Amino acid sequence: MMTYNNVMEALQWASSFLVDNGREETAARIVMQHILGTSYSEVMLRLQDVLTAEQKEKFQELIEEHASGRPVQYCLGSEEFYGRSFIVDESVLIPRPETEELVLGTINRMNKIFNDQTVKLADIGTGSGAIAISMKLECPELMVVATDLSEAALTTAQRNAQRLAADIDFRLGDLTKPLAGEKFDIVLSNPPYIAFEEAKEMSSTVLEHEPHSALFAEEDGLILYRKLAEQLPPLMNKPALIGLEIGYTQGEQVAQFFKNSFPQATISIEKDINGKPRMIFCEIHV
């Protein structure tokens, strides 16, 4: 056991240990928040608090597990998304902050597009359920369907929905197949979009632990956007909204797929908080 007693000493040891092992030192704070069951600001106020033997042991165990290469979110079994804690494990992609902007962008557009009618939303490739559940909890009047090709991912998403008390209709299947014969007002998706040749530039933490089926896609990462653009027209009501997260180099190509399928729609490529093109919104008019 390392010779630290209080929160500050534990953080100093962990930060140094993580850096020596080629990891981000910020993980030390995230693990400490988890150990203390508190917020970042509260941790800063408790730097002189003495840790119990049990807390020290658990803290060290998690830090060493992350140092070995496992993403800290999987070590802790959770990740924050849109102000809520989601269960995550190796069956699902870890939700990213950029995806929160897809949720926010959708909510901002909803109010302008739809009147008082009941709005039906589908989240295709839901993973942990982060998008579908956040939309349902932010806009309780929505009817939400969430699909995934992975049974294990759907199980994780269902656990999250149950834990967060979100009423979601979960369906197993590939892309739009589970939605056949129905009409939707909003379709959202954050599909796999990384080209296989990009793997060599990626962190080993991601490559060795996150599900490759949720990361990589054929046709330089574009195949699922092309298929969605081809399959969605018969499923969309008028007016309607389609929102997609994209790789930052894919904007023009993905926009073109949707221009071909929805020639009358207004299509916009939106930048994320870092100024990178990261979302496409397709507004289908009456």
Side-chain angles (χ1 to χ4, degrees):
M1 178 63 68
M2 295 296 152
T3 54
Y4 51 76
N5 289 304
N6 64 22
V7 170
M8 184 162 70
E9 290 166 355
L11 288 172
Q12 286 169 341
W13 165 76
S15 297
S16 172
F17 181 75
L18 289 170
V19 169
D20 288 348
N21 283 273
R23 307 291 166 208
E24 294 284 334
E25 60 183 309
T26 50
R29 169 185 58 77
I30 295 166
V31 173
M32 185 60 77
Q33 283 176 227
H34 176 78
I35 292 292
L36 298 178
T38 189
S39 65
Y40 171 62
S41 53
E42 185 72 15
V43 168
M44 292 300 101
L45 293 172
R46 294 175 60 179
L47 291 175
Q48 300 308 320
D49 282 16
V50 175
L51 295 166
T52 66
E54 188 183 358
Q55 285 173 325
K56 286 198 279 190
E57 188 178 346
K58 188 64 181 167
F59 181 74
Q60 184 169 337
E61 185 185 303
L62 289 168
I63 290 295
E64 287 176 351
E65 187 182 354
H66 176 54
S68 75
R70 194 175 184 216
V72 69
Q73 295 89 343
Y74 290 154
C75 298
L76 304 181
S78 65
E79 173 62 318
E80 294 291 313
F81 184 85
Y82 220 84
R84 299 177 181 91
S85 179
F86 284 78
I87 298 164
V88 293
D89 57 27
E90 272 84 350
S91 72
V92 298
L93 208 60
I94 298 164
R96 270 44 173 197
E98 296 87 351
T99 310
E100 294 181 342
E101 298 185 57
L102 179 64
V103 171
L104 181 61
T106 302
I107 292 169
N108 289 341
R109 284 166 175 79
M110 272 175 61
N111 304 328
K112 299 170 191 164
I113 297 170
F114 305 107
N115 297 320
D116 295 332
Q117 81 257 38
T118 302
V119 173
K120 194 171 174 183
L121 179 149
D123 174 27
I124 296 174
T126 196
S128 65
I131 293 173
I133 292 166
S134 299
M135 287 299 304
K136 178 65 180 177
L137 295 176
E138 294 298 315
C139 309
E141 71 283 359
L142 283 173
M143 287 175 61
V144 180
V145 177
T147 74
D148 207 286
L149 186 57
S150 160
E151 206 161 339
L154 272 188
T155 300
T156 301
Q158 284 167 324
R159 287 175 65 205
N160 279 317
Q162 196 171 5
R163 192 158 145 268
L164 294 165
D167 182 14
I168 310 281
D169 176 2
F170 288 104
R171 302 179 189 176
L172 181 67
D174 188 20
L175 288 181
T176 61
K177 281 180 186 167
L179 312 175
E182 293 176 56
K183 292 276 191 182
F184 291 86
D185 304 291
I186 302 174
V187 169
L188 300 178
S189 187
N190 177 19
Y193 56 69
I194 301 171
F196 287 104
E197 58 267 28
E198 290 178 55
K200 58 184 180 291
E201 298 160 24
M202 294 172 67
S203 150
S204 61
T205 310
V206 173
L207 282 177
E208 290 169 19
H209 295 275
E210 297 200 56
H212 285 200
S213 60
L215 290 167
F216 297 103
E218 294 168 7
E219 296 180 16
D220 294 332
L222 295 167
I223 187 170
L224 297 176
Y225 299 112
R226 179 177 65 73
K227 286 187 171 182
L228 282 170
E230 289 167 1
Q231 294 173 17
L232 283 176
L235 300 178
M236 305 310 299
N237 276 325
K238 288 184 178 181
L241 176 67
I242 299 168
L244 306 160
E245 184 171 328
I246 57 168
Y248 68 89
T249 62
Q250 297 171 326
E252 293 302 331
Q253 290 158 297
V254 176
Q256 193 57 54
F257 291 149
F258 283 85
K259 282 173 187 166
N260 295 344
S261 290
F262 298 96
Q264 308 304 319
T266 303
I267 295 169
S268 57
I269 302 169
E270 302 290 334
K271 291 180 178 172
D272 66 11
I273 199 165
N274 300 312
K276 290 185 174 179
R278 188 62 80 172
M279 290 159 285
I280 285 200
F281 287 102
C282 175
E283 295 183 28
I284 300 154
H285 309 293
V286 176

